[in-house]
Amino acid sequence: MTPIQKCIRKKELSLKPIWLMRQAGRYLPEFRKLRKLNTNFIKLCLNSNLSSKITLQPLKRFNLDAAIIFSDILIVPYVLGQSVEFKKDFGPKLNNLDLEKISQNKELDFSKKLLPVYQSIEKVNKSELILQKDIIGFVGAPWTLLVYMINKCSPKKKLEENFFKDKNLIKETLLILEKFLKIHIKNQIKYGATIIQIFDSWAGLLEDKNLQDYIYTPTLNLVNFVKSLNVPVVCFPREIKNYKEYCKIIKPDVINIDYKINPETIRKEIDIVIQGGLDPKILLTNKDKLKVEAKKYLEIFKDHPYIFNLGHGVLPETDPQMVDYLIKFVKSY
Ligand code: CP3
């Protein structure tokens, strides 16, 4: 059993496995080199030779306990027929959501279009760099994908007034997403993913009264689906106001916390496996500060099953040497 599986399934306390969100990305010069030659980000995700190579780049450098497959949560709306572009220094830009169009998708076509992602998982699975390590497959939570599909770009601090105007559009889109996200999850597992992480990056935007319909119900359906396939599921409802209530309702195998939450409070409130928390900005400071902060998390979670990770992705301006230092520090603690 891998260190992460021991931590999740056996609640091992002596192991503090580590992987990092966005561990394959722009902070690595070898990634930037490949990215420069491949200006279309979605196409890069759908090139299994390159995406498997990028997935393994951080594992060549660092003693990480998992690889996260190089793809994006927005690949699902893209494949459903809502085009997505990644503009430099702007982020994703989607075109209009066409319910009629996305309703016509068929399971077989959908899986066929995503085959390069699955082949990438298969390639990573065959590498010797992945021995005794996990392969993390992922999806965006229906709520976060809905935000992008309706808003058409990353939202500001607040959603626009008329976001919730078309209730039928929202209801139907969430149902379509649920159906195809289940297919995407099933396929990733079939090709070798050993953990599924559900990213709900915009969970913090919702008022309490809307949580049930937009987050709890659709996410619970996905979580129960992953569990039925006997694969652990990690949820990351970034900046959700009440992690305790979320865990009580959703019951994921692992909860990833963001960096704004007090880790000590969370540990007292939650009895499931915890992942993450460290502010990625700490990696921009210096080794002494990094050591102090990393130690804080390791001490707080000494007697709690814990997977070391960040409270959000590695920032592009991060020095790879700081990442190296962090991983060595956690591994030798
Ligand atoms: O290393 C990994 O974590 C695996 C690959 C991965 C990417 N995106 C690659 C990526 C994963 C798991 C994601 C998830 C993702 N994508 C989320 C959830 C996590 C989060 O960050 O909140 C979200 C909201 C997205 C949507 C998205 N993709 C945005 C907002 C952006 C632009 C902003 C940015 O960080 O660049 C992307 C682009 C993206 N996805 C890049 C990478 C490596 C950068 C692309 C580039 O090289 O320009």
Side-chain angles (χ1 to χ4, degrees), residues 22-24 26 35 41 68 71-73 86 148 201 312:
R22 288 284 171 89
Q23 62 188 30
R26 281 172 301 190
R35 180 74 171 93
F41 178 72
I68 179 158
S71 174
D72 198 88
I73 62 167
F86 287 86
Y148 280 108
S201 305
H312 203 185

Side-chain angles (χ1 to χ4, degrees), residues 5 222 238 314:
Q5 298 286 341
L222 289 186
R238 187 165 68 90
V314 180

Side-chain angles (χ1 to χ4, degrees), residues 42 72-84 86 92-98 101-102 105 110 113-114 139-142 144-150 173 176-177 180-181 184:
I42 294 270
D72 198 88
I73 62 167
L74 297 177
I75 201 111
V76 167
Y78 173 82
V79 163
L80 289 176
Q82 184 175 6
S83 72
V84 183
F86 287 86
K93 182 92 198 74
L94 288 76
N95 68 358
N96 288 335
L97 169 56
D98 180 346
K101 186 175 176 188
I102 66 165
N105 281 286
F110 175 84
K113 286 180 188 153
L114 283 170
V139 292
T144 283
L145 293 180
L146 183 80
V147 168
Y148 280 108
M149 291 167 86
I150 292 185
T173 305
I176 292 169
L177 283 171
F180 286 99
L181 290 171
H184 190 35

Side-chain angles (χ1 to χ4, degrees), residues 239-278:
E239 289 181 32
I240 196 151
K241 282 145 204 125
N242 195 335
Y243 272 98
K244 186 180 172 187
E245 182 183 84
Y246 181 93
C247 287
K248 214 174 97 193
I249 295 171
I250 306 289
K251 298 187 184 68
D253 295 295
V254 182
I255 185 83
N256 194 111
I257 55 174
D258 63 76
Y259 58 86
K260 293 191 178 155
I261 208 80
N262 182 324
E264 210 144 9
T265 319
I266 278 283
R267 188 208 53 212
K268 287 178 192 146
E269 284 180 351
I270 290 175
D271 60 6
I272 62 175
V273 182
I274 294 174
Q275 171 176 289
L278 182 78

